[in-house]
Amino acid sequence: MKESLKYAAYHRRVFLGNNLYSKGAAYSAMLRRDHRDVQDKYFFLGENCIVYNLGLMVLRSGRNIYYPLLDAGANWYEVEVSREFIVEGAKEAHIILTPLTGGAIREEVMSFDGLPDREERTTRVRLTFTMKDVHTMLVHAEDVGFGEIAPSSGRTWDHVIENL
């Protein structure tokens, strides 16, 4: 078997054996390939994994709904989520953090002070979520405008969410 691996795994990372490290690597590879059957049965948490779900409260078809952005179990150093939203009415984002370990759902409000007043539904903001460490999330927002109808103001906002 070891001779076969030299040819089959040339310049590749291979895990041989039936130990916990090999099984963990195999499960991780399956999760990265989006095998929903494994994700539905198992949930992997470690010291580098975030233990909460992240989403936004958004208005869709006249109703407030929860828009999921990030699922618990992701490695903090791999987190980078970026989405664009049309801002209406109140110039703020309501970030919802739902812990897996129990406890209260946490809401963080990020205000877009100085965002120019524009016609309805012509203000677009890009939100980018990254992690500084396993307990600190960085949220960056920027006004991206709305094409030629409403050019970008170039304004940016940063928000830090700590004690996760």
Side-chain angles (χ1 to χ4, degrees), residues 29-44:
M30 286 175 23
L31 288 173
R32 290 180 194 276
R33 303 254 325 150
D34 278 335
H35 284 280
R36 298 300 298 168
D37 54 333
V38 174
Q39 290 177 340
D40 292 340
K41 291 180 187 176
Y42 302 102
F43 189 76
F44 301 100

Side-chain angles (χ1 to χ4, degrees), residues 15-159:
F15 299 94
L16 173 67
N18 198 19
N19 61 21
L20 185 60
Y21 186 76
S22 297
K23 286 182 180 181
Y27 281 125
S28 177
M30 286 175 23
L31 288 173
R32 290 180 194 276
R33 303 254 325 150
D34 278 335
H35 284 280
R36 298 300 298 168
D37 54 333
V38 174
Q39 290 177 340
D40 292 340
K41 291 180 187 176
Y42 302 102
F43 189 76
F44 301 100
L45 282 181
E47 61 186 36
N48 289 324
C49 294
I50 57 173
V51 293
Y52 55 87
N53 294 320
L54 170 81
L56 292 174
M57 290 305 293
V58 298
L59 185 65
R60 184 178 214 174
S61 301
R63 296 183 342 188
N64 278 331
I65 64 164
Y66 175 79
Y67 181 81
L69 292 170
L70 181 65
D71 290 329
N75 291 318
W76 69 267
Y77 48 84
E78 293 177 333
V79 170
E80 184 170 349
V81 178
S82 184
R83 299 285 187 278
E84 292 181 3
F85 297 93
I86 293 177
V87 178
E88 288 187 70
K91 296 177 181 178
E92 56 191 22
H94 293 266
I95 303 164
I96 308 296
L97 300 157
T98 308
L100 288 182
T101 56
I105 294 174
R106 183 171 158 190
E107 181 177 1
E108 292 275 332
V109 178
M110 182 175 183
S111 180
F112 305 129
D113 296 327
L115 190 63
D117 291 325
R118 297 186 179 126
E119 288 184 41
E120 192 173 322
R121 297 184 182 165
T122 59
T123 301
R124 199 167 44 128
V125 173
R126 179 182 300 125
L127 291 174
T128 304
F129 299 85
T130 56
M131 300 290 292
K132 180 179 177 185
D133 57 48
V134 74
H135 301 292
T136 309
M137 175 173 279
L138 308 172
V139 185
H140 178 76
E142 67 178 296
D143 174 18
V144 292
F146 205 77
E148 292 180 9
I149 296 171
S152 171
S153 66
R155 294 271 319 189
T156 62
W157 302 266
D158 290 305
H159 186 73

